[in-house]
Amino acid sequence: MKGLSRKRTAAVLAAGLCLCLAPGCGGQTEENAKEELMESSLITVGFSQLGNESDWRVANTESVKETFTEENGYNLLVEDAQQKQENQITAIRNFILLEVDYIVIAPVVETGWDEVLSEAKEAGVPVIVMDRQVDVEDDSLYTAWVGSDMYAEGKLAVDWLSDYLEAQGRQEEDISIVHIQGTLGSSAQIGRTEGLDEGLKTHENWHLAAREVGEFTQAKACEVMREILEEVGDDIDVLYCENDSEAFGAMQALDEAGITYGEGGDVILISFDATEAGLRACMEGEMNVNVECNPLHGPRVEEIIRQLEAGEEPEKEEYVEETLFEPEDLTEEFISARGY
Ligand code: GZL
């Protein structure tokens, strides 16, 4: 019965049970059939993951896989959409056909989900959104969301930059900022960009030298940073990367151009995610600050499912508490103990 949702398993077993009770049915007793039903009461979860673009995403997927194991009572189906919304929509439709018990989605962008989530609702399959958010007309199309406040992350970074520049006596200086954005239309890009845009408005001496999309990947960020350096040369005071993978790509381009960054460098480097690799780079002084974005949503999503299974109503939105790290905050043991 593996791979079948409980609904389908129950239907198959119930049919089998009826047959067994029919006259002349040998072998399986009602007790056996019920035992089998109990054993196969794994909760089937269909997980549509947006991609595999960054260390953060790898940790996020791992967290879900480590949580939704058969020993914990789950049958997990994972579909990787390679950062394409159409692949996520196809995966959700397949999960509906399979009659999974729950759908979990980390949506690549915020819009374009109304139709497919309406189909899930009509099919009676609860949808739990994780990490990035969906922007839908009717928020009953999803049961709950858990993730980060990306605007708060951006504001944390910008407030840190303002304080950092003031501490250096540079609060009046013209500050040239290069901004490498994540996937356009994703909650992480929208929120972190909003935080920077607010900082640009409130600091008249800050200006944007360049803004390009790095898709949250190291390769794309390296490519666009090379192009930016062609345009602006070394007139860069701050580099604002919307995740660690982009920061590593930009660092590669800066190395090629002989431009230093991080503590004591030409360029103040701001990054997001606080992944293990990102925190190591920060600890080494290659980044001036790294804003945390916790990917370990597996247990949080499972808690929501446990509540639903118990007939309880989970919070509609659950924000994860987060902070930022500077080099002096970091040690090897601290980084190793974080789990991602
Ligand atoms: C943030 C998450 C972002 C990460 C990136 O919650 O959606 O997507 O910041 C990842 O590393 O690609």
Side-chain angles (χ1 to χ4, degrees):
M1 293 293 175
K2 277 170 69 96
L4 284 179
S5 69
R6 279 179 307 165
K7 274 192 284 191
R8 188 172 281 188
T9 303
V12 168
L13 283 167
L17 191 57
C18 294
L19 283 174
C20 284
L21 295 177
C25 168
Q28 191 176 47
T29 63
E30 183 180 341
E31 274 319 302
N32 292 356
K34 279 183 181 172
E35 269 167 37
E36 199 171 314
L37 182 57
M38 290 315 293
E39 277 157 30
S40 67
S41 61
L42 293 176
I43 299 172
T44 300
V45 175
F47 174 35
S48 169
Q49 177 57 290
L50 64 91
N52 193 32
E53 73 286 356
S54 63
D55 291 353
W56 188 100
R57 188 63 56 197
V58 169
N60 178 243
T61 301
E62 204 41 47
S63 173
V64 172
K65 286 181 175 176
E66 284 169 1
T67 302
F68 292 97
T69 60
E70 197 165 313
E71 303 85 85
N72 286 347
Y74 296 95
N75 170 31
L76 178 67
L77 313 175
V78 184
E79 290 290 337
D80 173 350
Q82 301 295 316
Q83 295 221 79
K84 291 186 176 63
Q85 181 174 32
E86 62 268 23
N87 292 347
Q88 290 200 276
I89 290 172
T90 301
I92 293 169
R93 287 187 169 132
N94 288 338
F95 292 148
I96 293 169
L97 286 173
L98 284 170
E99 295 183 340
V100 300
D101 298 299
Y102 295 92
I103 290 172
V104 177
I105 174 172
V108 60
V109 291
E110 291 199 345
T111 56
W113 303 101
D114 298 74
E115 184 181 340
V116 73
L117 294 188
S118 299
E119 293 166 20
K121 184 178 179 182
E122 276 149 38
V125 183
V127 173
I128 296 161
V129 183
M130 169 189 77
D131 175 27
R132 303 176 189 178
Q133 294 182 290
V134 294
D135 177 7
V136 288
E137 284 299 308
D138 168 9
D139 74 0
S140 74
L141 293 183
Y142 65 94
T143 302
W145 167 82
V146 57
S148 302
D149 183 339
M150 318 289 187
Y151 165 71
E153 292 173 357
K155 183 155 179 18
L156 211 49
V158 166
D159 291 348
W160 173 88
L161 177 61
S162 184
D163 295 345
Y164 185 81
L165 290 169
E166 189 167 347
Q168 292 196 329
R170 300 173 69 184
Q171 65 274 20
E172 306 297 330
E173 183 185 317
D174 269 345
I175 299 296
S176 168
I177 299 174
V178 165
H179 177 197
I180 300 185
Q181 294 180 289
T183 304
L184 289 186
S186 68
S187 307
Q189 175 273 311
I190 292 168
R192 293 168 190 168
T193 294
E194 204 178 306
L196 178 57
D197 283 346
E198 208 168 81
L200 287 162
K201 280 197 201 97
T202 54
H203 296 79
E204 58 189 18
N205 57 315
W206 294 7
H207 69 272
L208 210 49
R211 168 174 280 172
E212 295 295 342
V213 179
E215 293 296 350
F216 287 129
T217 69
Q218 183 165 338
K220 185 67 179 170
C222 181
E223 178 191 316
V224 298
M225 192 65 202
R226 283 174 179 149
E227 291 161 7
I228 290 168
L229 288 168
E230 290 290 315
E231 287 158 35
V232 305
D234 59 4
D235 175 25
I236 305 174
D237 298 299
V238 178
L239 174 55
Y240 186 97
C241 293
E242 292 190 353
N243 82 330
D244 285 335
S245 300
E246 291 182 345
F248 289 124
M251 286 152 77
Q252 184 183 337
L254 290 167
D255 289 341
E256 291 165 359
I259 296 173
T260 59
Y261 43 84
E263 284 196 317
D266 305 321
V267 176
I268 296 165
L269 181 47
I270 296 171
S271 185
F272 293 82
D273 280 355
T275 57
E276 185 170 344
L279 288 184
R280 285 223 162 77
C282 191
M283 181 172 69
E284 299 304 321
E286 293 174 339
M287 296 176 181
N288 297 84
V289 67
N290 201 322
V291 179
E292 182 181 26
C293 181
N294 189 303
L296 306 182
H297 293 321
R300 299 175 186 123
V301 172
E302 201 220 359
E303 175 52 31
I304 291 168
I305 289 178
R306 289 274 165 237
Q307 289 174 312
L308 293 168
E309 287 289 301
E312 297 163 13
E313 189 173 335
E315 290 295 318
K316 187 74 178 178
E317 292 186 337
E318 180 192 343
Y319 285 96
V320 179
E321 287 297 314
E322 292 165 338
T323 182
L324 61 71
F325 301 99
E326 297 178 274
E328 59 267 27
D329 300 328
L330 298 166
T331 62
E332 186 53 48
E333 46 278 1
F334 173 80
I335 294 172
S336 309
R338 280 168 54 81
Y340 70 96

